[in-house]
Amino acid sequence: MKSKEIRSAFLDFFESKQHKIVPSSPLVNKNDPTLMFTNSGMVQFKDFFLGNKKIVNKRVADTQKCLRVSGKHNDLEDVGMDGTHHTLFEMLGNWSFGDYFKEEAIAWSWELLTDVYKLPKDKLYATVFGGDKAENLDSDEEAKKIWLKYLPESHILYGNKKDNFWEMGEMGPCGPCSEIHIDLRSDDDIAKIPGNELVNKDHPQVVEIWNNVFMQFNRKADKSLEPLPAKHVDTGMGFERLCMTIQGKKYTYDTDVFTPLIQFIEKETNVSYEGSYERSAKQDIAIRVVADHIRAVAFTIADGELPSNNGAGYVVRRILRRAVRYYYSFLNRETPLLYKLVPLLASEFEFVFPELIAQQDFVQKVILEEEKSFLRTLEGGLKRFDSLVPVNGLLVVLKLLNC
Ligand code: SER
């Protein structure tokens, strides 16, 4: 399946289960001082969980643009180094607001993954919350019992609070969660070490694909947990990882979500992408950084956050500069590159997130100006430092510029 078909299949599946399909909310979270950027699909629904807003549709599904570059969930420094982390990613999600709970959520996850996407049942693992004494929370035996209908006991694992109790931020809705992991290793490797020993152990081919959160509490400012007025379901499936799994790739960058961007960068820079994940493969890292960061920067600007010197705008500027730093240092590129990727990105997402194509010229102009000004700073700084510190001028300049 192409990535576009994978996305549609998710939305069609939940529409057939009476969910209303809604648009992604903006990446920038202006109304919530506890969160700078939308970091998961549930953010736009926070007030439904807390009981502060009247629920109109009890079942909702969507694909949400998410950014994990600040606060509790921050993946920025991993991006480019490995093959699964991103600044901007899409989260496919389905929600129940006081309607269905664990039974249906788990049954539908299983049906979609195994009947629609045809993922191999024997490669799937589920984790459930193992309880936490300090928080006075019991283990989630209910979720485990439901999973036993689909998976053998050896494929169901208990997890701790870090992995199996999902919280939006320092405060806000939270609850125990059940993650679904897949083992993408070869049969030979599986024969040597069973998958259940590698779940949640940062193995690049034993990865989480879907998280089912059973929202039951509100974390308050004093850190106590208060039961919510009703019980809800909040699920999130990383779209890029799902595409990697279904398309039989080892890394998200090898899926058709990223290959058009990577090919464009190769053509522009005359550097070929070898797909290496060695720390020394600086050109490959740089190409991944550029392909990833342009998505975060372009969509954030389209959603109304301009690069600036403080707050969310500063984070956007840092992401953009990180991309410039990588292409300048490792792709021998001394002229703006990122802005050139915007039309391609906008057309790829025309029917999913039309806000980018609608503002394509504006977004391009903002990015171009930022790139020009940062490249000037780099050049100017380099010339001065090269005369003082002949060998490591670039490193010193980058350090001083905090990027
Ligand atoms: N909120 C959960 C997560 O982000 C499920 O959507 O993983």
Side-chain angles (χ1 to χ4, degrees):
M1 282 169 117
K2 295 259 183 237
S3 57
K4 291 188 173 87
E5 295 163 321
I6 294 171
R7 188 190 289 111
S8 306
F10 179 92
L11 299 174
D12 292 349
F13 178 84
F14 281 103
E15 196 164 34
S16 79
K17 308 284 184 202
Q18 293 76 50
H19 287 63
K20 182 171 170 54
I21 310 304
V22 299
S24 170
S25 66
L27 279 166
V28 196
N29 206 22
K30 299 266 189 221
N31 298 326
D32 188 343
T34 70
L35 201 64
M36 203 177 256
F37 295 107
T38 299
N39 64 4
S40 66
M42 55 74 65
V43 170
Q44 64 167 311
F45 307 118
K46 182 178 171 184
D47 281 336
F48 293 148
F49 294 129
L50 295 178
N52 295 338
K53 209 164 155 188
K54 196 170 172 302
I55 293 160
V56 184
N57 297 296
K58 287 185 161 186
R59 297 180 183 190
V60 162
D62 70 7
T63 181
Q64 170 70 49
K65 290 170 287 182
C66 298
L67 262 190
R68 291 196 171 172
V69 290
S70 60
K72 192 174 174 65
H73 301 277
N74 187 350
D75 296 329
L76 182 59
E77 293 307 321
D78 291 328
V79 174
M81 307 298 165
D82 69 15
T84 47
H85 282 96
H86 297 287
T87 49
L88 180 133
F89 64 98
E90 271 181 74
M91 191 180 268
L92 302 166
N94 58 289
W95 286 272
S96 153
F97 304 121
D99 187 28
Y100 63 85
F101 204 42
K102 297 180 190 178
E103 186 80 49
E104 294 87 339
I106 291 174
W108 290 337
S109 309
W110 185 255
E111 186 184 335
L112 180 63
L113 292 180
T114 61
D115 282 2
V116 178
Y117 292 138
K118 309 270 185 234
L119 296 183
K121 295 178 180 169
D122 59 333
K123 304 276 169 69
L124 293 171
Y125 291 84
T127 62
V128 298
F129 182 49
D132 190 279
K133 276 213 178 91
E135 298 268 17
N136 208 12
L137 293 168
D138 291 333
S139 61
D140 193 348
E141 297 308 318
E142 188 188 354
K144 177 162 183 185
K145 210 167 139 204
I146 300 167
W147 273 119
L148 280 169
K149 294 184 193 174
Y150 308 103
L151 286 169
E153 193 152 13
S154 59
H155 282 229
I156 307 169
L157 308 162
Y158 287 109
N160 58 19
K161 196 174 112 184
K162 180 181 145 284
D163 291 323
N164 282 86
F165 193 87
W166 199 84
E167 310 203 32
M168 172 182 165
E170 299 309 326
M171 291 189 273
C174 53
C177 60
S178 179
E179 295 176 344
I180 302 168
H181 295 246
I182 187 154
D183 187 348
L184 300 169
R185 293 172 305 149
S186 67
D187 289 342
D188 281 353
D189 286 346
I190 291 175
K192 283 181 211 142
I193 307 175
N196 57 10
E197 289 180 20
L198 297 176
V199 167
N200 271 332
K201 298 277 179 350
D202 286 331
H203 191 289
Q205 287 176 275
V206 184
V207 290
E208 177 201 337
I209 46 173
W210 203 347
N211 190 12
N212 276 242
V213 184
F214 309 118
M215 288 287 186
Q216 298 176 52
F217 303 101
N218 181 21
R219 175 78 69 189
K220 308 218 340 192
D222 67 5
K223 299 284 164 220
S224 63
L225 289 175
E226 175 186 67
L228 292 173
K231 291 179 178 173
H232 315 276
V233 170
D234 153 33
T235 90
M237 175 148 59
F239 173 65
E240 297 77 9
R241 283 191 190 182
L242 179 68
C243 291
M244 170 183 98
T245 304
I246 294 174
Q247 295 180 356
K249 307 288 183 192
K250 275 191 175 171
Y251 306 105
T252 47
Y253 291 93
D254 298 333
T255 66
D256 67 338
V257 181
F258 285 97
T259 44
L261 293 169
I262 290 179
Q263 282 161 6
F264 189 97
I265 299 164
E266 285 181 298
K267 233 164 98 192
E268 271 292 322
T269 58
N270 262 327
V271 175
S272 8
Y273 180 65
E274 307 293 341
S276 165
Y277 285 83
E278 296 294 326
R279 289 277 152 151
S280 55
K282 297 290 188 206
Q283 292 192 325
D284 283 351
I285 295 175
I287 290 177
R288 288 192 290 272
V289 165
V290 172
D292 172 276
H293 288 14
I294 183 57
R295 294 167 23 113
V297 170
F299 279 110
T300 316
I301 295 171
D303 280 351
E305 191 66 59
L306 298 183
S308 72
N309 271 341
N310 48 49
Y314 184 58
V315 178
V316 182
R317 178 165 278 167
R318 279 194 60 198
I319 301 172
L320 187 146
R321 289 181 172 187
R322 187 170 185 259
V324 175
R325 170 164 69 96
Y326 270 92
Y327 72 63
Y328 185 87
S329 309
F330 304 116
L331 301 177
N332 300 323
R333 176 79 177 205
E334 293 176 6
T335 53
L337 168 65
L338 292 170
Y339 81 103
K340 291 198 166 191
L341 287 151
V342 175
L344 171 62
L345 192 62
S347 73
E348 287 283 316
F349 283 93
E350 182 174 2
F351 299 106
V352 198
F353 306 127
E355 52 277 23
L356 186 54
I357 206 153
Q359 303 171 83
Q360 182 177 308
D361 293 347
F362 170 71
V363 174
Q364 266 197 299
K365 269 188 207 136
V366 173
I367 295 177
L368 176 60
E369 286 314 313
E370 279 288 310
E371 289 190 85
K372 276 192 197 158
S373 119
F374 187 54
L375 284 164
R376 267 198 306 271
T377 312
L378 277 180
E379 286 287 343
L382 254 186
K383 276 190 196 122
R384 285 177 57 196
F385 271 94
D386 270 351
S387 58
L388 301 170
V389 194
V391 183
N392 271 335
L394 177 59
L395 292 179
V396 177
V397 172
L398 292 170
K399 189 105 197 123
L400 288 175
L401 290 169
N402 189 23
C403 62

